[in-house]
Amino acid sequence: MAARSPRGFGQYSGIARALERVGERWALLVLRDLLVGPRRYSDLKAALPRIPTNILSDRLRELQEAGLVRRVPIVRGGYELTPLGRELEPVVLALERWGWSVLGDPGDAEAMSHEALAMALRSAFRPDAAAALPPTEYVLHVGRASVAAVVDGPVLEVVPIGPDAVPQPRPTTPADAATATVEFALAPSALRDLVAGRADAAGVPVLAGDADGVARFARTFRIETVDPPSAGAAGDAAVA
Amino acid sequence: MAARSPRGFGQYSGIARALERVGERWALLVLRDLLVGPRRYSDLKAALPRIPTNILSDRLRELQEAGLVRRVPIVRGGYELTPLGRELEPVVLALERWGWSVLGDPGDAEAMSHEALAMALRSAFRPDAAAALPPTEYVLHVGRASVAAVVDGPVLEVVPIGPDAVPQPRPTTPADAATATVEFALAPSALRDLVAGRADAAGVPVLAGDADGVARFARTFRIETVDPPSAGAAGDAAVA
DNA sequence: CGGGATCCCAAGCGATACTG
DNA sequence: CAGTATCGCTTGGGATCCCG
């Protein structure tokens, strides 16, 4: 169908087909947000402040035509992933993990949305490490975004909290009795250093719960990063 | 650096950063080809017939500035991945796997390059299944592309063969004595059906080697696909 | 001859204004 | 609130041309 179209890549290949569906600008960011849960048009726009409204509209239509997204019947302006769309989670997680190697520091007008934070935690989650630790609910505040990450054995559930965020079924086990809770706040770059293993858990102010819950967090959520070449070789490496 | 640039996404997020580096059109296809091995400019252009030469040139420069690609010192026009670039393999494999759910049939002018075939096999490889099978060298001919896939326990090595393909170190173990060889040819869509588990290994003509080597191949290389929704709901789903 | 750079046109993107 | 319409600008596509 989209085989020989002018915008196709003219190649019979899985990646080429995938990029024909989700390779356009903003598409994977919209899909990432929908991976966190169903969202309304205005939610998506709020989570992606710089997306032009016509582009959001175009992408949602294209993703529906491609069978990755469908409308939520009852909610006006509501969208959710189809099973095919949900299968993109490994792609999004892989991109998220790789991106941490080139994250740098937040720019002036750059913020972290609830959804970005939620998917970052999902991509950093280490089931093996978590299985050896007691069940814990981590409540994180990063910039203006807050999420609750409930870890029970090798299972993680992340729920955005706060005034925004579409109503969503609360985590399956509201409080497993034995579930400890730790709450703390970090700057975005501090979260990066903690998850990348470049900073220690000490120095993170704990708002509530066990003080070494942050160390447990750092063992549970970890992304292995690679240092980019330090602009030594060829190329001028845009220093600005 | 590329934080608040006009083309950035204005979000502090791993995926956003990743897409700022490799989200432009053609970039991930170039990277896929370089994941197979070092390539010269003309190799890349031959493997991606529809890429305009200026775009290939632009992408290679951008990828160098981003530290994902560097020039091969000796070879004129040679390019290879940096360690950071090689870390994109999980992304490419995840996209490749997902793409098989929407592969469809090859369009009129669509071909499969050596590199596309090689990465398809890498993405479909099942180390667990392979470990239980005897070491085997599969020689595949799909369309005009040919590769040798050497499987030894849970380890796979894929090497493009034929008149093209940059000289590359031959697979580590040229012939492990006990390594069986199977050679067969398929149409692109037949490979898709075989790897997706929609076709049986019977009916594939074996050119050389054990006749049920194809069945072994089908157990070793497998991609789980999801059926796209059948254009029943909303959207017109481009039928052409 | 292989490895790119330049040109022009079409299509996609971004910002804003506007409508059901 | 959930989009559509419009317009100027940026990118990509295709052919050609230049350089070592």
Side-chain angles (χ1 to χ4, degrees):
Chain A
M1 51 178 84
R4 220 200 116 29
S5 81
R7 294 294 289 183
F9 294 100
Q11 186 164 106
Y12 191 64
S13 143
I15 310 181
R17 283 288 187 276
L19 293 175
E20 286 164 6
R21 261 76 179 178
V22 302
E24 316 258 305
R25 196 164 157 75
W26 294 103
L28 278 165
L29 290 174
V30 171
L31 290 167
R32 177 204 55 187
D33 288 352
L34 289 174
L35 273 168
V36 180
R39 289 290 183 274
R40 283 164 305 173
Y41 192 92
S42 54
D43 300 324
L44 294 170
K45 221 165 84 161
L48 260 19
R50 308 234 313 176
I51 192 174
T53 177
N54 59 335
I55 298 296
L56 177 55
S57 178
D58 287 355
R59 292 296 168 270
L60 285 170
R61 185 178 37 72
E62 293 158 9
L63 293 173
Q64 285 177 80
E65 288 171 4
L68 310 199
V69 167
R70 64 178 166 226
R71 310 198 69 126
V72 177
I74 314 221
V75 185
R76 237 188 76 92
Y79 295 89
E80 67 181 358
L81 295 179
T82 64
L84 179 61
R86 250 189 306 278
E87 290 295 318
L88 274 168
E89 176 158 4
V91 171
V92 169
L93 293 180
L95 273 168
E96 175 78 27
R97 273 188 280 265
W98 185 86
W100 279 63
S101 289
V102 294
L103 240 186
D105 289 313
D108 305 7
E110 284 189 332
M112 190 178 243
S113 65
H114 290 122
E115 289 80 6
L117 178 55
M119 289 305 294
L121 292 181
R122 278 208 222 168
S123 77
F125 183 60
R126 296 287 176 101
D128 296 350
L133 294 169
T136 308
E137 177 176 15
Y138 301 95
V139 177
L140 264 83
H141 306 280
V142 182
R144 301 184 57 80
S146 299
V147 297
V150 181
V151 178
D152 189 0
V155 176
L156 165 70
E157 194 150 6
V158 187
V159 184
I161 55 181
D164 329 331
V166 156
Q168 205 170 341
R170 291 291 306 166
T172 44
T173 55
D176 206 4
T179 300
T181 296
V182 189
E183 180 169 6
F184 55 96
L186 311 97
S189 55
L191 175 66
R192 176 203 58 194
D193 291 339
L194 190 63
V195 169
R198 285 202 293 271
D200 197 80
V204 175
V206 175
L207 303 178
D210 190 355
D212 70 17
V214 180
R216 221 152 68 202
F217 174 86
R219 283 205 298 282
T220 305
F221 298 92
R222 167 67 66 111
I223 294 178
E224 221 62 60
T225 59
V226 176
D227 286 326
S230 52
D236 69 293
V239 248
Chain B
M1 59 172 83
R4 218 199 119 29
S5 82
R7 294 295 288 184
F9 295 100
Q11 187 164 108
Y12 192 64
S13 144
I15 310 181
R17 283 289 187 275
L19 292 175
E20 285 163 7
R21 261 76 178 177
V22 302
E24 316 258 304
R25 198 165 156 76
W26 292 104
L28 278 165
L29 290 173
V30 171
L31 290 167
R32 176 202 56 188
D33 288 351
L34 289 174
L35 273 169
V36 179
R39 291 288 184 274
R40 283 165 303 175
Y41 191 92
S42 55
D43 300 324
L44 295 170
K45 221 165 82 162
L48 261 18
R50 307 234 315 176
I51 192 175
T53 175
N54 58 336
I55 298 295
L56 177 55
S57 180
D58 287 355
R59 293 296 167 270
L60 285 169
R61 183 178 38 72
E62 293 159 8
L63 293 173
Q64 284 176 81
E65 288 171 3
L68 310 199
V69 166
R70 65 179 166 225
R71 309 197 69 126
V72 178
I74 315 223
V75 185
R76 246 189 67 93
Y79 295 89
E80 67 181 357
L81 295 180
T82 64
L84 178 62
R86 250 189 308 278
E87 290 295 317
L88 273 168
E89 176 158 1
V91 171
V92 170
L93 293 180
L95 273 167
E96 174 78 28
R97 274 189 279 265
W98 184 86
W100 279 62
S101 289
V102 294
L103 241 187
D105 289 312
D108 305 6
E110 283 189 334
M112 191 179 243
S113 65
H114 290 121
E115 289 80 7
L117 178 54
M119 289 305 296
L121 292 181
R122 279 208 223 167
S123 77
F125 183 60
R126 297 286 176 102
D128 296 349
L133 294 169
T136 309
E137 177 177 16
Y138 301 95
V139 177
L140 264 85
H141 307 279
V142 181
R144 301 185 57 79
S146 298
V147 297
V150 180
V151 178
D152 188 1
V155 177
L156 164 70
E157 194 150 5
V158 186
V159 184
I161 54 182
D164 331 329
V166 157
Q168 204 171 343
R170 291 291 307 168
T172 46
T173 56
D176 205 5
T179 300
T181 297
V182 189
E183 180 170 5
F184 55 95
L186 310 98
S189 55
L191 174 66
R192 176 203 59 193
D193 292 339
L194 190 62
V195 169
R198 284 202 293 272
D200 198 80
V204 176
V206 175
L207 303 178
D210 190 355
D212 70 16
V214 180
R216 221 151 69 202
F217 174 86
R219 281 205 299 282
T220 306
F221 298 92
R222 167 68 64 112
I223 293 177
E224 221 62 60
T225 59
V226 176
D227 286 326
S230 51
D236 70 292
V239 247

